[in-house]
Amino acid sequence: MVHEVDPYRRLKDAFARYATGVAIATCAPPGRAPAALTVNSFTSVSLNPSLVLWSLQRSAGAYDAFMAADNYAISVLRAGQEATSTRFATRGAESPTREEFETWATGAPVLRERLAGFDCRISARHDAGDHVILVGEVLQFDSFGGKPLLYYASGYATGPDVAKAAAD
Ligand SMILES: Cc1cc2nc3c(=O)[nH]c(=O)nc-3n(C[C@H](O)[C@H](O)[C@H](O)COP(=O)(O)O)c2cc1C
């Protein structure tokens, strides 16, 4: 009898005890179709300068597109957008469409339905094992009131409602 053993199961389980939001990272490199993938590694880093980061699996289907891109956008998902998360976590998912996405300063697609959006210039790429960390300088952003889609222990949950962000 063959036992399929994942040597990283215990480590994955421990990593999965860190609850996160869920976002769609997108890019539209010149001469290529736009690419999108679901990420929960997104995090804010610095206010001044305004920096964010997320990490990209080297084995991801969208790897080449993000390595060819100068920019990316991050769309933070709302509660109820599990289907969007699943779609862009599937190899060979169709490219972002004009109906679902808009573009801002950089041309990277931003999901129309979102809790927050960040349009970023890639300011650094750092090798990190089987991932590459993509640091982005935030050129444009917005945020809305509502409940976030959360990811915890390989499942989805809904976070608490927040009011609309204060006007600047
Ligand atoms: C909730 C969730 C979070 C994910 N976070 C990341 C991430 O931070 N970085 C990453 O490279 N892949 C992440 N993935 C996996 C990619 O979405 C997935 O590999 C990719 O969209 C398509 O699959 P492919 O790599 O087989 O092409 C995540 C998947 C899910 C469902």
Side-chain angles (χ1 to χ4, degrees), residues 88-132:
F88 291 113
T90 305
R91 182 163 290 252
E94 72 268 43
S95 286
T97 63
R98 272 182 196 278
E99 295 74 48
E100 294 168 294
F101 290 83
E102 58 195 49
T103 53
W104 295 355
T106 71
V110 180
L111 255 184
R112 292 185 194 278
E113 193 184 346
R114 61 183 179 271
L115 197 52
F118 301 90
D119 196 17
C120 306
R121 182 184 69 82
I122 297 174
S123 61
R125 288 184 173 83
H126 300 289
D127 286 339
D130 52 19
H131 283 62
V132 175

Side-chain angles (χ1 to χ4, degrees), residues 37-41 55-57 59-61 88-91 151 156:
L37 90 166
T38 302
V39 301
N40 70 336
S41 54
S55 55
L56 171 65
Q57 284 179 62
S59 61
F88 291 113
T90 305
R91 182 163 290 252
Y151 196 66
Y156 294 106

